Amino acid sequence: NHIKLPNTATEADCIASLNTDPAVHGFIVQLPLDSDKPINTEKITNAVAPEKDVDGLSSINAGKLSRGDLGDCFIPCTPKGCMELIRQTAEADQICCRCSSAFFHCQSDILVVAAGRAEMVKGEWIKPGAIVIDCGINHVPGTWATLTRGDVFVYKCSVCSLFHPEAGNLWGVFDLHTHSSCSLSLSDIEISQSCIPKPIDQVAKEVGLFPDEVELYGQTKAKIQLSVLKRLQNQPDGKYVVVTGITPTPLGEGKSTTTVGLVQALGAHLRQNVFACVRQPSQGPTFGIKGGAAGGGYCQVVPMEEFNLHLTGDIHAITAANNLVAAAIDARIFHELTQSDQALYNRLVPSVNGVRKFSDIQIRRLQKLGINKTDPMALTKEEVNAFVRLDIDPGTITWQRVLDTNDRFLRKITIGQSVTEKGFTRTAQFDITVSSEIMAVLALADGLDDMKKRFGRMVVASSKKGIPVTADDLGVTGALAVLMKDAVKPNLMQTLEGTPVFVHAGPFANIAHGNSSVLADKIALKLVGKDGFVVTEAGFGADIGMEKFFNIKCRYSGLRPHVVVLVATVRALKMHGGGPAVTAGVPLPKEYTEENLQLVAKGCSNLTKQIQNARMFGVPVVVAVNAFKTDTKAELALVVQHAKEAGAFDAVECTHWAEGGKGALALARAVQRASQAPSNFKFLYNVELPVVDKIRLIAQQVYGARDIELLPEAQEKVALYTKQGFGNLPICMAKTHLSLSHDPEQKGAPTGFVLPIRDIRASVGAGFLYPLVGTMSTMPGLPTRPCFYDIDLDPVSGAVNGLF
């Protein structure tokens, strides 16, 4: 906007309002050249808030800039462009930062010229091959503004625009990409700890969040208020990118690393507004076998120990909420078995100072029963009986206790063995916390009110009459909302290169839907604006995490993806091509460390199928070939070629693990191009189809199965859930991530198999049915040598060691 002030304006006019207006990111005050009164230039320039001082002329800005305090000032466009060019240039012996009329013969390798008039600097004054950054604004048509001639490389740097030399006597164009890559001798945690992150409130400010929308949890993480969605409700969304992968080895193929590398390339290198939205990792794998999930190498969320451990306590809140429901179920069964109707009623609706009163959640239960009364004294005996008796059938309980630790001995337990429980024992189990329906609800809710309603709908068991029993029936919904009121807010962190990250929710993809939260994605899409990018990651291979991202997450969020990034590795393709087994903690066989084009070519059948799976939903696919140091150029080229032939929009080799965002620049540019391509997104199935038909469609279209087989227990559940009114929910397959089939030993792209459905369970609050395919465990176990052997704390420095 151009604001013209009258000649009668004072120094303070307009500036104060612009300083405080959050819609104004920066401004320049242009002083008149023909003023007939003296102007206090210093007073005007210092009236501009330093963070909005585009000219950088305030005393505070200039002082910070001159002493190199770049992290705490607004770097004006021209100096910022100059510094970036200098940073990317080979080490200079000398740098001459300004020239004046008393110019001298310069032997510098780099010369930054801010001359006062055109053609002031002569080419013969500068040594041959020198690099000149011309910041002059005195344009002379057909020539560079400042230089007249000379054998030099020239950049034009005006308002951060870089122009290559035009035809003439200036020779050569300097290569911007010459800085050396970082050392690769450090471990992931050493790389993370060598980085000094920006204060998280600075990151929040950079992305456009207001101070009252940010709750700080120390210096490196914060929670974001959901009110930002209302403030930005009219802001157009950015481009939506999902990162997935081919069927992985047990070691993983680098989806998290690629997600971080892509946002670093888009944000730190291509200067796009960008957000990563990722899941919070479970403590189980962190201390078990896989390690953390912050990315790796020079593509990490930092600090990685904060990311991989407690973060802001969301998983602990889920554990507490889940186990409150479990305790409520068994307590209710016990009390109903040991008390009369009237005794139960007197305790459920106690008299306080001679007055009985229903709580709000009890009123909802009465309404559900068709009892439209609010006076506790007005209920008949029959109504009291219906109100107090949930009559839970213990054999139908689907709600388990949870713990965020791998513990195989909790897979089946007996509870109620204390004498105080009067012999009411039953068999139960523990699941890992991230498989809890409360985690799935957190990931799919679009606000606190929606989360609370989903909690109320969660089905924990059936009555002996086959009626579903919900958390609302137990009276626990409000308490769950209280326990989860902070967990519903996304967590803000950053990458090694300072790009913003939302870390929120973390459901397992082989048990639940395996995607980070809808809320984080929605807030990020508003913050980046219509030309920005939000990159989120779906768990495991495209047949699991991506399919659920499309059919479940996108269905509930209403968001539509623009690009799929499919991560592939030579290592995984060799495994699918018939290579020997890959086992975590065991050195890779030589087939994976030596060139073997035949194995790669044969294994590309899996890549082809996963590309087809992504294209089935109508979204352009970019294949990111995550390069390892043992991969040969021929192997990488073969994968790129095959991916393009299989229908990918593009396929590129990536070296981001070793080089950070720079190593993912080709991927970032491919994603930018793909985001402009037509995207005709569609769901795989209509939710109104019968349950069996929806399962069959996923099995045949996504996995390549010939058909499905429902075992007797699964058949009973189909009939039950259809009768209870849950038949129109989406399907969330619980299947091994190590194969497209149900058998982890079947690699490549198997066909013709029959997919066995052992059981079906309902996550009604989250909003899906999940069939159990083959043998699936909801509680991992610890290996012989867990990761915790290497994890330690330095008592002197307080540093965490051994995480990876």
Side-chain angles (χ1 to χ4, degrees):
N1 295 322
H2 183 194
I3 302 173
K4 295 186 68 174
L5 298 178
N7 288 336
T8 56
T10 65
E11 289 91 341
D13 282 343
C14 191
I15 292 178
S17 62
L18 294 175
N19 281 338
T20 57
D21 186 348
V24 176
H25 298 116
F27 59 95
I28 295 173
V29 179
Q30 179 66 51
L31 301 178
L33 299 177
D34 57 351
S35 176
D36 57 357
K37 62 178 181 180
I39 298 175
N40 188 335
T41 303
E42 185 175 358
K43 183 177 181 181
I44 293 174
T45 55
N46 284 329
V48 179
E51 66 270 19
K52 295 189 177 184
D53 182 12
V54 175
D55 257 342
L57 298 178
S58 72
S59 298
I60 293 175
N61 239 332
K64 288 181 177 180
L65 193 63
S66 65
R67 70 170 183 254
D69 192 6
L70 307 183
D72 193 31
C73 69
F74 188 100
I75 305 175
C77 300
T78 297
K80 188 170 185 178
C82 294
M83 288 189 293
E84 177 65 15
L85 288 169
I86 293 169
R87 184 185 71 80
Q88 296 187 19
T89 303
E91 187 75 17
D93 294 328
Q94 307 173 58
I95 299 178
C96 177
C97 291
R98 298 242 345 155
C99 69
S100 65
S101 55
F103 197 79
F104 52 88
H105 288 264
C106 179
Q107 296 301 309
S108 299
D109 294 316
I110 303 173
L111 176 64
V112 180
V113 182
R117 63 177 185 270
E119 298 183 323
M120 179 178 179
V121 181
K122 298 183 182 302
E124 62 262 25
W125 293 351
I126 305 165
K127 74 176 185 179
I131 297 161
V132 176
I133 302 172
D134 181 0
C135 302
I137 60 171
N138 303 291
H139 179 62
V140 177
T143 68
W144 291 104
T146 304
L147 290 174
T148 55
R149 64 182 180 83
D151 293 336
V152 292
F153 296 86
V154 176
Y155 288 118
K156 178 66 177 173
C157 177
S158 180
V159 197
C160 272
S161 295
L162 310 180
F163 301 97
H164 294 308
E166 299 170 3
N169 62 352
L170 302 175
W171 61 275
V173 178
F174 184 69
D175 182 5
L176 287 176
H177 310 296
T178 59
H179 62 286
S180 60
S181 61
C182 305
S183 167
L184 300 181
S185 60
L186 302 177
S187 68
D188 286 352
I189 194 167
E190 288 172 330
I191 293 170
S192 174
Q193 291 174 344
S194 69
C195 167
I196 301 176
K198 292 181 288 188
I200 201 64
D201 56 342
Q202 180 184 334
V203 176
K205 185 176 181 181
E206 289 172 355
V207 301
L209 291 164
F210 291 176
D212 62 355
E213 294 169 340
V214 181
E215 297 177 8
L216 300 180
Y217 279 65
Q219 295 294 311
T220 58
K221 53 189 186 291
K223 278 197 167 290
I224 306 305
Q225 294 279 3
L226 304 186
S227 58
V228 68
L229 273 174
K230 184 176 181 181
R231 175 172 68 86
L232 298 176
Q233 60 186 335
N234 296 321
Q235 170 96 322
D237 288 348
K239 304 290 188 181
Y240 198 28
V241 180
V242 60
V243 177
T244 184
I246 63 171
T247 304
T249 68
L251 306 179
E253 308 315 310
K255 290 192 308 299
S256 298
T257 305
T258 301
T259 298
V260 175
L262 175 57
V263 298
Q264 289 183 164
L266 286 166
H269 294 264
L270 298 181
R271 305 299 182 187
Q272 300 291 306
N273 285 351
V274 66
F275 245 100
C277 291
V278 299
R279 292 172 295 163
Q280 181 182 351
S282 165
Q283 177 185 300
T286 299
F287 290 104
I289 194 168
K290 182 178 182 290
Y298 290 89
C299 295
Q300 295 187 55
V301 181
V302 294
M304 69 97 85
E305 58 268 44
E306 297 286 341
F307 177 93
N308 285 319
L309 298 175
H310 304 286
L311 198 57
T312 57
D314 293 353
I315 291 181
H316 301 315
I318 292 165
T319 302
N322 183 99
N323 292 343
L324 180 62
V325 176
I329 294 168
D330 288 301
R332 187 60 176 260
I333 293 173
F334 174 79
H335 291 308
E336 286 189 25
L337 288 171
T338 56
Q339 298 181 53
S340 66
D341 288 357
Q342 194 58 49
L344 279 169
Y345 191 65
N346 290 342
R347 287 170 171 80
L348 288 170
V349 193
S351 175
V352 180
N353 297 324
V355 178
R356 292 180 186 271
K357 183 180 179 182
F358 290 121
S359 66
D360 290 343
I361 200 166
Q362 289 176 325
I363 293 289
R364 290 205 299 272
R365 171 150 175 80
L366 288 169
Q367 292 171 344
K368 178 180 178 180
L369 293 169
I371 303 172
N372 297 312
K373 297 177 180 179
T374 57
D375 181 3
M377 304 304 294
L379 268 63
T380 66
K381 287 185 177 181
E382 292 75 14
E383 289 170 339
V384 167
N385 174 268
F387 175 74
V388 302
R389 296 286 172 188
L390 299 181
D391 202 22
I392 294 172
D393 179 356
T396 67
I397 295 173
T398 55
W399 196 272
Q400 310 298 343
R401 288 163 173 81
V402 298
L403 184 71
D404 200 42
T405 300
N406 292 356
D407 192 342
R408 67 180 65 249
F409 289 95
L410 295 179
R411 289 170 177 169
K412 182 168 285 190
I413 59 173
T414 302
I415 60 173
Q417 295 192 47
S418 169
V419 294
T420 58
E421 311 327 313
K422 303 180 181 180
F424 296 114
T425 63
R426 71 178 181 89
T427 300
Q429 69 183 57
F430 270 79
D431 294 338
I432 196 159
T433 297
V434 287
S435 71
S436 167
E437 184 174 353
I438 290 181
M439 176 65 89
V441 167
L442 174 66
L444 291 172
D446 66 2
L448 189 57
D449 183 59
D450 182 48
M451 181 178 70
K452 185 178 175 181
K453 289 177 180 176
R454 287 174 180 268
F455 285 160
R457 295 197 298 266
M458 293 188 305
V459 174
V460 300
S462 294
S463 72
K464 292 174 182 175
K465 293 181 180 178
I467 299 169
V469 178
T470 66
D472 242 17
D473 294 326
L474 288 168
V476 74
T477 304
L480 298 180
V482 169
L483 285 171
M484 294 292 293
K485 69 181 179 64
D486 292 320
V488 74
K489 305 167 190 173
N491 305 293
L492 179 65
M493 295 187 76
Q494 63 190 290
T495 71
L496 276 166
E497 297 184 23
T499 52
V501 180
F502 276 144
V503 187
H504 202 211
F508 269 16
N510 58 349
I511 300 169
H513 63 88
N515 284 269
S516 60
S517 77
V518 166
L519 277 169
D521 290 0
K522 285 189 170 183
I523 294 173
L525 285 164
K526 293 298 182 186
L527 289 171
V528 300
K530 68 181 181 68
D531 296 322
F533 290 84
V534 170
V535 182
T536 189
E537 177 193 347
F540 292 127
D543 55 306
I544 303 181
M546 183 200 71
E547 182 269 314
K548 296 173 183 178
F549 171 82
F550 289 145
N551 282 321
I552 299 175
K553 185 177 180 180
C554 291
R555 196 184 298 270
Y556 283 122
S557 70
L559 301 174
R560 298 295 177 259
H562 294 82
V563 184
V564 170
V565 173
L566 183 68
V567 180
T569 63
V570 168
R571 177 178 68 191
L573 293 173
K574 285 180 175 180
M575 178 192 71
H576 288 295
V582 175
T583 306
V586 176
L588 286 171
K590 64 180 181 62
E591 286 84 352
Y592 297 99
T593 57
E594 298 175 0
E595 184 174 288
N596 192 320
L597 296 177
Q598 185 177 358
L599 279 181
V600 175
K602 187 177 179 182
C604 279
S605 61
N606 187 271
L607 174 62
T608 298
K609 177 57 179 168
Q610 299 290 31
I611 291 172
Q612 291 171 353
N613 284 341
R615 295 188 66 197
M616 187 188 308
F617 293 90
V619 184
V621 184
V622 175
V623 173
V625 186
N626 187 15
F628 287 40
K629 63 181 181 181
T630 55
D631 301 338
T632 68
K633 287 294 182 182
E635 289 173 333
L636 294 168
L638 178 60
V639 179
V640 168
Q641 177 187 349
H642 188 95
K644 292 178 179 178
E645 292 173 351
F649 177 89
D650 203 352
V652 294
E653 177 187 338
C654 303
T655 56
H656 45 277
W657 183 86
E659 297 184 288
K662 176 190 172 185
L665 276 169
L667 175 62
R669 293 188 177 105
V671 167
Q672 285 181 309
R673 293 192 301 271
S675 70
Q676 303 299 323
S679 179
N680 303 306
F681 176 72
K682 58 185 178 183
F683 298 117
L684 179 63
Y685 54 80
N686 186 322
V687 290
E688 301 300 326
L689 287 174
V691 173
V692 175
D693 290 353
K694 288 181 285 193
I695 297 173
R696 182 177 286 111
L697 271 171
I698 296 173
Q700 292 178 334
Q701 299 296 316
V702 179
Y703 306 156
R706 176 170 56 83
D707 203 352
I708 61 173
E709 177 190 10
L710 266 66
L711 301 183
E713 193 168 359
Q715 294 176 20
E716 292 174 7
K717 292 294 181 61
V718 169
L720 175 65
Y721 295 144
T722 303
K723 179 182 176 181
Q724 292 179 337
F726 307 142
N728 62 347
L729 292 176
I731 301 298
C732 182
M733 303 288 275
K735 180 184 79 72
T736 178
H737 61 288
L738 297 174
S739 172
L740 281 163
S741 74
H742 58 285
D743 180 0
E745 300 304 317
Q746 289 195 49
K747 304 302 182 183
T751 58
F753 59 91
V754 175
L755 194 75
I757 309 299
R758 175 169 55 90
D759 192 8
I760 302 176
R761 297 177 186 172
S763 290
V764 179
F768 53 74
L769 302 178
Y770 61 105
L772 300 179
V773 180
T775 303
M776 279 298 303
S777 174
T778 52
M779 171 55 83
L782 288 173
T784 304
R785 191 186 190 281
C787 297
F788 60 63
Y789 274 83
D790 300 309
I791 297 172
D792 202 358
L793 181 72
D794 186 324
V796 177
S797 67
V800 175
N801 301 314
L803 284 174
F804 69 98

